[in-house]
Amino acid sequence: MADLERACALLRDGGYTCVVCKGDCIYTSSARGVRPVLDWLDSGLDLKGFSAADKVVGKAAAFLFVRAGVTRLYAGTVSKPALSVLRDHGISVEYDRCVPGIINRSGDGPCLMENAVRGTEDPEEALLLIRRKLAELRAHPN
């Protein structure tokens, strides 16, 4: 089974939110939002050449996959801005649904992370903006 197929099967059958695979090396997460990829980046995991499967990929998550060096990605739902980022950086993308933008968990506005990176096309700047938004949310949890 190819890496992307294995990642998709684990995502579908394992109850995970995000899975990355390369050969016998598999990492899974049940965390929400950008947390899985951000945690893997922060832990120093080398994900270059991995295939990934994620339930929802907005522009912020797309930038994190770019930073991680993922080469193939499946998304259950992907936003148009995320799709553009992924393709611009040479990541092969498969998806079930493409939407104009990711909606927040309350369903009453745009995803805070996607909104945080809307004005950049630079993965390094995006990472800083994501970290800044997460720090802001921790400081003001409402």
Side-chain angles (χ1 to χ4, degrees), residues 44-102:
L45 280 179
D46 181 4
L47 298 178
K48 287 177 183 54
F50 274 68
S51 292
D54 198 324
K55 289 189 177 227
V56 178
V57 178
K59 189 174 181 182
F63 277 124
L64 295 178
F65 283 117
V66 168
R67 289 269 295 130
V70 165
T71 55
R72 295 187 69 202
L73 174 72
Y74 159 80
T77 300
V78 66
S79 71
K80 287 183 182 180
L83 196 55
S84 179
V85 166
L86 294 163
R87 288 182 172 159
D88 287 350
H89 290 275
I91 296 175
S92 170
V93 185
E94 297 177 24
Y95 56 89
D96 291 333
R97 246 175 31 135
C98 184
V99 296
I102 304 301

